[in-house]
Amino acid sequence: MPVTVNARAARFAAAYALLRAAADVADHWVQSDHQARTKGQHDHNDGQSSTAGRAACAAHVATYTATQAAALLAGSRLLGLRLRPGPVAAGLALSAVTHYIADRREPLRRLADATGGSAFYRLADHGMNGAYALDQAFHHAFETAAALIVSA
């Protein structure tokens, strides 16, 4: 018996794959070293600047969002998907805002502390980096939500 997939499910699967792949490219290839080192800076840490942190994070999120937008545009054309501009813009906005929040680091640390994950967040041993793992899980969750929005 043939299996049929509805159009929205196909759009969701494609949008998620495109957003996730673009996120990895944007975070690990497009992001500058300066952005990676500076985006989490806060005035309350010695030698750091909240202004520099916000600027670096905003610049990173701009290139991150542009990379995801390019992937969605190219991928949807190649796959013949009919993504509507409004849901695409809303999904990209959700991805961008939540990415900025996580990459400023303090909000994610506070969330880990509030949910009992502070020890894991601070783990930097045994080949693990808890802050990075929680950061990526946070991004994956909101990229899934963004793909649900995009596929509408």
Side-chain angles (χ1 to χ4, degrees):
M1 176 180 274
V3 175
T4 58
V5 176
N6 73 35
R8 182 161 187 209
R11 286 192 308 270
F12 166 75
Y16 179 77
L18 293 165
L19 287 169
R20 178 82 297 272
D24 266 353
V25 169
D27 261 350
H28 302 112
W29 287 95
V30 176
Q31 179 176 213
S32 74
D33 183 60
H34 169 76
Q35 291 165 348
R37 286 183 294 103
T38 309
K39 66 187 179 184
Q41 287 192 5
H42 293 273
D43 288 338
H44 60 265
N45 297 323
D46 287 339
Q48 293 189 5
S49 162
S50 291
T51 301
R54 286 189 298 270
C57 196
H60 165 55
V61 169
T63 60
Y64 177 90
T65 306
T67 303
Q68 284 191 318
L72 280 175
L73 178 63
S76 66
R77 286 196 179 172
L78 287 168
L79 295 170
L81 299 176
R82 294 183 179 196
L83 300 179
R84 296 179 311 149
V88 168
L92 288 170
L94 176 65
S95 182
V97 168
T98 58
H99 198 89
Y100 181 91
I101 290 167
D103 279 14
R104 286 293 289 139
R105 297 198 179 108
E106 290 291 323
L108 199 58
R109 182 195 53 76
R110 287 193 304 268
L111 179 61
D113 290 346
T115 58
S118 56
F120 183 70
Y121 181 87
R122 289 166 181 79
L123 176 66
D125 200 0
H126 309 291
M128 291 284 301
N129 181 308
Y132 179 77
L134 291 175
D135 170 89
Q136 291 301 294
F138 187 88
H139 294 326
H140 287 238
F142 281 101
E143 286 157 8
T144 302
L148 286 167
I149 293 167
V150 166
S151 66

